[in-house]
């Protein structure tokens, strides 16, 4: 007999675009002829046809035939009604299976603020038991004031509807609330006698299996109430910013007057096309909405659902205006790109696309609105304050901020078009798969260094930049002339200088010595998952091994030749900022689902905050200490003296720059910035000069971190004190022995060099005026510029108070 259960609250409105739209059934109304006035309580589509009566003989004959047909139909209905009361009419009319209404998924920022509602319908299913009774009473008053008294069928209405439908009167439905829901549950669309009979049978079966409250709950979660809102909860939130679940008498509870507004919209939620009736949404047709509201209020008083005093004090409440399209939607703006990452993570949690489309999820993301704003304003060309603002339209930036303590992505700018290319993660919006990346250049050296430090290589080791590759090709060193590299010490340049100046040779030979697979393994440990060879598809580094890596990538992997997704690189950067503790980069903080029948909240998934140490803590402090010097070198100090670490990077294109990066961060936020071509690679310029990572990308990086730090009110926190690790005489290093210092001749009688011609008579305990002094000799470098260590000067001068690289132009090795 079809006694399938229809859950009391797992229901709502029909899908967007579903057929069978009728005003009384609370779905989008079908059109009626222009000028049609509102109909009576049973009218479908808003009222009478408005056509004049045809007085021809043929028309009279048709009307007589219709009358006879109508009389027969009424008899059938009456006979059917008798059967309904006894044997449920025809046995083949089954109670339909449960209707589980699609809901929206609520996506929130980390602070609980709503980002967007995703899904085919803006609906939140609520348990009937939690719905404020005044709302249920208002709906009954508007749609079916005898709802609590009848058994699901209005026989007088059915007879009147049948008569009018066959005699040229108004097209009528005369449906009770139970019948309206029965029509939806059984997917009955056509307006016909057969449909009305089946609707009546199903309504009676519903009434025999469920009580009035349960049926009302099904109906309230189903109805459409205009402006894209399905179900009573979405309507209450949309029109009044309130929840129907707030108990009466409590703060922000729905009032009887507001409930009557919502109930009055149900009859016709939207304007008809053309010159048809404008419906009862007060934002579209306030006068008609107020008239309908008065009708509802009067019925509420008649049924004693409100007091006389409440009725007398009635005042039409203020309704929220129509929301601007795309104002806070996942389908507009840069934050929309985040949604595909949310979808991908939900799939990883086992939530299928079908379950997601069904809705009912509340997803709290890791995105912080203040950090997100800082990322967008720093990276988007549309931002007037962004360093990208004046750049050509063919340029594109990506800005990613990750909490190094958790891996949560706090800010993500991957482009302005949420349906376009994701320049942060290169995640396809349909397949949710990674489809591309960019060459990280020298920023990839952080992994080469992590691998080298793990092999006990010290920053004091020296490397030979004059050596050529096995194929005879020279190694480019940031375009610096060989004689200028490392201040003329190209054959024995220390690793620290090579890192700060971004020379490539030390990293090439380090990968050659320890094995490039160890460099790649360090990148994998930090968080890089995909890398693209020169030709072919991406290699999934997490599912392949060293033999595959060695086959697809050469030693240039050590200084960033091969493309990687910026988001994965950002995850790796966060591992370095966190001192060697890896956390998976993620966008979801928590997923909750509310049981539509019980209201019980279930936490489906929650972010894991415990990371995994992948690199030695002391070695990371050593690396961080060198990266801190790069910030000073590139003049990108943050506001208020906030300590930061960084690495710049550039990869060439057409003899110029094609990908530029600046990565690093502060203890509270790891920041990764990429600037390159939009859609296709272009040769990047800063003015008339080639763009380098230390140019526009570093400016974006600084702006992002300064703004985020200020907005979040973070303390000025320092990185751990540097611990120098490794073996300065590592067998992996290939630097040549530096030439011995020149031998000084001394006068055996005076003990002074060459008879004291260099001012031996005035020699100070830590060095003479002409030969160095504490911080450098006056004549050979000047105070603070000589580069000498205590006790000796430096004849070549230098860059800092206690030493520096000699004879290096300020832009040499810029990366």
């Amino acid at each position: 007999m079809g006694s399938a259960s229809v859950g009391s609250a797992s229901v709502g409105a029909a899908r967007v675009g579903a057929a069978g739209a009728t005003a009384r059934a609370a779905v989008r109304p079908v059109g009626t002829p222009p000028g049609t006035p509102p109909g009576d309580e049973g009218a479908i589509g808003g009222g009478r046809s408005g056509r004049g009566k045809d007085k021809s003989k043929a028309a009279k004959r048709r009307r007589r035939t219709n009358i006879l047909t109508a009389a027969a139909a009424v008899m059938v209905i009456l006979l059917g009604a008798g059967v309904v009361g006894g044997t449920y009419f025809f046995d083949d009319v089954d109670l339909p299976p449960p209707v589980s209404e699609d809901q929206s998924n609520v996506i929130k920022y980390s602070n609980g603020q709503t980002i967007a509602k995703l899904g085919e319908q803006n609906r939140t299913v609520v348990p009937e038991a939690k719905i404020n009774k005044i709302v249920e009473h208002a709906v009954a008053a508007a749609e079916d004031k005898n709802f609590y008294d009848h058994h699901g069928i209005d026989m007088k209405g059915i007879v009147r509807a049948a008569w009018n439908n066959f005699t040229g009167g108004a097209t009528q439905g005369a449906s009770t609330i139970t019948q309206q829901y029965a029509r939806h549950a059984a997917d009955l669309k056509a307006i016909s006698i057969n449909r009305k009979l089946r609707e009546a049978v199903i309504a009676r079966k519903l009434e025999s299996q469920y009580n009035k409250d349960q049926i009302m709950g099904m109906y309230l979660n189903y109805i459409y109430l205009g402006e894209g809102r399905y179900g009573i909860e979405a309507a209450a939130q949309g029109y009044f910013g309130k929840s129907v679940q707030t108990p009466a008498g409590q703060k922000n509870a729905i009032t009887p007057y507001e409930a009557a507004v919502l109930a009055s919209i149900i009859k016709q939620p939207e304007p008809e096309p053309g010159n048809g009736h404008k419906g009862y949404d007060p934002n579209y047709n306030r006068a008609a909405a107020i008239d309908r509201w008065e009708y509802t209020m009067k019925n509420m008083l008649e049924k004693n659902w409100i007091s006389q005093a409440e009725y007398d004090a009635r005042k039409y409440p203020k309704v929220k205006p129509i929301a601007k399209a795309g104002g806070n939607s996942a389908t507009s703006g840069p934050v929309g790109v985040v949604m595909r990452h949310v979808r991908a993570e939900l799939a990883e949690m086992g939530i299928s696309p079908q379950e997601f489309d069904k809705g009912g999820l509340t997803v709290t993301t890791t995105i912080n609105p203040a950090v997100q704003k800082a990322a967008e304003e720093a990276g988007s060309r549309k931002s007037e304050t962004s360093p990208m603002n004046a750049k050509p339209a063919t340029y594109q930036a990506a800005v990613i901020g990750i909490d190094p303590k958790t891996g949560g992505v706090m800010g993500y700018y991957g482009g302005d078009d949420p349906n376009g290319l994701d320049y942060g993660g290169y995640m396809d919006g349909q397949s949710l798969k990674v489809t591309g990346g960019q060459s990280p250049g020298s920023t990839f050296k952080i992994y080469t260094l992590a691998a080298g430090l793990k092999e006990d290589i010290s920053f004091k080791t020296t490397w030979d930049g004059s050596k050529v590759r096995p194929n005879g090709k020279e190694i480019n060193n940031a375009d610096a002339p060989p004689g200028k590299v490392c201040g003329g010490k190209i054959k024995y340049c220390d690793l620290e200088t090579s890192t700060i100046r971004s020379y490539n040779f030390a990293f090439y030979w380090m990968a050659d010595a320890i094995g490039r697979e160890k460099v790649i393994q360090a990148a994998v440990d930090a968080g890089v998952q995909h890398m693209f060879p020169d030709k072919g598809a991406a290699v999934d580094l997490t599912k392949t091994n060293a033999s595959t890596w060695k086959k697809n990538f050469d030693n240039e992997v050590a200084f960033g030749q091969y493309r990687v997704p910026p988001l994965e690189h950002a995850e790796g950067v966060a591992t370095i900022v966190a001192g060697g503790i890896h956390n998976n980069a993620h966008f979801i903080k928590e997923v909750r689902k509310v049981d539509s029948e019980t209201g019980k909240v279930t936490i489906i998934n929650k972010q894991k905050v415990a990371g995994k140490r992948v690199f030695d803590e002391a070695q990371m402090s050593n690396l961080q200490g060198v990266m801190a010097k790069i910030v000073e070198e590139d003049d990108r100090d943050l506001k208020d003296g906030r300590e930061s670490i960084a690495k710049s990077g550039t990869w060439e294109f057409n003899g110029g720059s094609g990908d530029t990066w600046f990565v690093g961060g502060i203890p509270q936020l790891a920041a990764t910035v990429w600037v390159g071509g939009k859609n296709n690679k272009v040769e990047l310029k800063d003015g008339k000069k080639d763009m380098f990572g230390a140019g526009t990308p570093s400016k974006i990086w600084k702006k992002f971190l300064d703004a985020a730090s200020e907005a979040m009110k973070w303390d000025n926190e320092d990185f751990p004190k540097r611990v120098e690790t490794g073996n300065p005489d590592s067998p992996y290093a290939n630097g040549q022995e530096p030439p011995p210092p020149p031998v000084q001749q001394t006068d055996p009688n005076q003990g002074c060099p060459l008879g004291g011609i260099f001012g031996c008579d005035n020699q100070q305990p830590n060095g003479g005026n002409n030969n160095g002094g504490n911080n450098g000799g006056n004549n050979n470098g000047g105070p603070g510029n000589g580069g000498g260590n205590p006790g000796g000067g430096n004849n070549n001068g230098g860059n800092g108070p206690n030493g520096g690289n000699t004879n290096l132009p300020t832009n040499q090795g810029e990366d």
Side-chain angles (χ1 to χ4, degrees), residues 250-264:
Q250 290 190 10
K251 183 180 179 181
N252 212 37
I254 289 285
T255 68
Y257 314 114
E258 292 167 338
V261 171
L262 298 176
S264 300

Side-chain angles (χ1 to χ4, degrees), residues 170-220:
T171 303
Q172 293 184 326
S175 296
T176 65
I177 283 176
T178 310
Q179 285 177 271
Q180 288 184 47
Y181 180 71
R183 183 185 315 152
H184 163 65
D187 198 23
L188 300 172
K189 298 180 178 67
I191 300 175
S192 66
I193 290 297
N194 180 61
R195 191 213 75 182
K196 294 302 297 181
L197 291 176
R198 297 181 69 84
E199 179 184 297
V201 172
I202 294 170
R204 282 294 299 121
K205 290 186 175 184
L206 284 169
E207 291 271 348
S208 67
Q209 185 156 338
Y210 303 103
N211 61 40
K212 291 291 186 178
D213 288 341
Q214 289 175 314
I215 294 172
M216 178 62 79
M218 299 174 191
Y219 180 77
L220 290 178

Side-chain angles (χ1 to χ4, degrees), residues 264 289-299 311 314 316:
S264 300
I290 292 176
D291 287 345
R292 181 72 178 167
W293 176 78
E294 288 284 5
Y295 168 83
T296 302
M297 293 295 299
K298 182 179 178 181
N299 283 347
Y311 179 77
R314 70 191 183 280
Y316 197 82

Side-chain angles (χ1 to χ4, degrees), residues 280-564:
Y280 299 100
D281 180 340
N283 284 321
Y284 288 102
N285 194 4
R286 184 174 174 82
I290 292 176
D291 287 345
R292 181 72 178 167
W293 176 78
E294 288 284 5
Y295 168 83
T296 302
M297 293 295 299
K298 182 179 178 181
N299 283 347
M300 291 175 73
L301 175 64
E302 178 185 328
K303 302 298 290 186
N304 294 318
W305 291 327
I306 58 172
S307 67
Q308 184 68 50
E310 288 175 311
Y311 179 77
D312 292 341
R314 70 191 183 280
K315 181 180 179 181
Y316 197 82
K318 184 178 180 180
V319 174
K320 292 172 68 175
I322 298 171
K324 293 181 180 179
N328 190 32
S329 170
T331 61
S332 64
V335 75
V337 183
V338 171
M339 297 305 138
R340 64 186 71 177
H341 293 277
V342 170
R343 291 286 298 268
E345 286 185 27
L346 288 172
E348 290 176 1
M349 295 175 187
I351 299 172
S352 66
Q354 293 75 19
E355 186 176 356
F356 181 86
D357 291 341
K358 201 66 180 174
L361 301 175
T362 298
V363 181
T364 302
T365 71
T366 57
I367 299 293
N368 179 280
V371 179
Q372 178 66 23
K373 180 181 179 183
E376 293 177 14
E377 291 184 349
S380 174
R381 291 183 64 258
K382 294 182 178 181
S383 168
E384 294 182 358
T385 60
S386 170
M388 292 291 292
N389 181 254
K391 298 299 179 186
T394 54
Y395 288 23
Q396 177 66 47
V399 182
I400 305 168
I402 296 178
D403 181 350
K405 296 179 178 65
T406 66
V409 181
M410 299 182 70
Y412 186 86
Y413 173 72
D416 295 299
D417 182 2
N419 299 312
L421 188 59
D422 169 18
Y423 292 97
Y426 286 87
M427 178 172 285
D428 178 72
Q430 299 299 319
S431 67
L432 303 180
K433 294 180 179 179
V434 174
T435 59
Q438 300 293 353
S439 299
S442 291
T443 60
F444 204 81
K445 291 174 181 175
I446 60 177
Y447 309 126
T448 309
L449 290 167
L453 290 167
K454 190 173 183 180
E455 296 298 317
D456 204 34
I457 294 175
S458 166
F459 275 106
K460 292 181 179 179
T461 53
T462 61
W463 302 81
D464 187 354
S466 66
K467 287 189 64 176
V468 296
R469 309 170 201 244
N471 61 6
K473 191 175 180 182
E474 292 183 354
I475 300 172
N476 183 287
N477 294 300
D479 293 327
K484 299 290 187 180
V485 171
C486 211
K489 300 184 296 181
I490 188 171
K491 294 184 178 181
Y492 48 94
C493 187
D494 64 276
L495 181 58
E496 184 163 331
T497 299
S498 292
T499 301
I500 294 171
R501 290 292 184 175
S502 215
Y503 301 136
N504 292 332
F505 61 87
F507 298 89
Y508 181 92
W509 295 119
M510 192 186 306
D512 186 67
I514 67 175
R516 58 183 178 271
E517 67 275 12
K518 292 183 179 178
V519 173
I520 297 173
Q521 185 62 60
V524 174
D525 291 341
V528 178
Q529 301 175 44
H530 299 89
M531 189 182 294
F532 290 78
D534 289 330
K535 296 181 180 179
V539 175
D540 188 334
L541 303 176
T542 65
K543 297 179 180 179
T544 51
N545 55 30
S547 62
T548 300
W549 302 345
K550 292 177 73 173
K551 187 186 304 181
N552 285 278
F553 310 108
D554 66 19
N555 288 342
E556 287 201 5
V557 70
F559 49 88
Q561 172 183 344
Y562 302 102
R563 293 176 294 139
V564 296

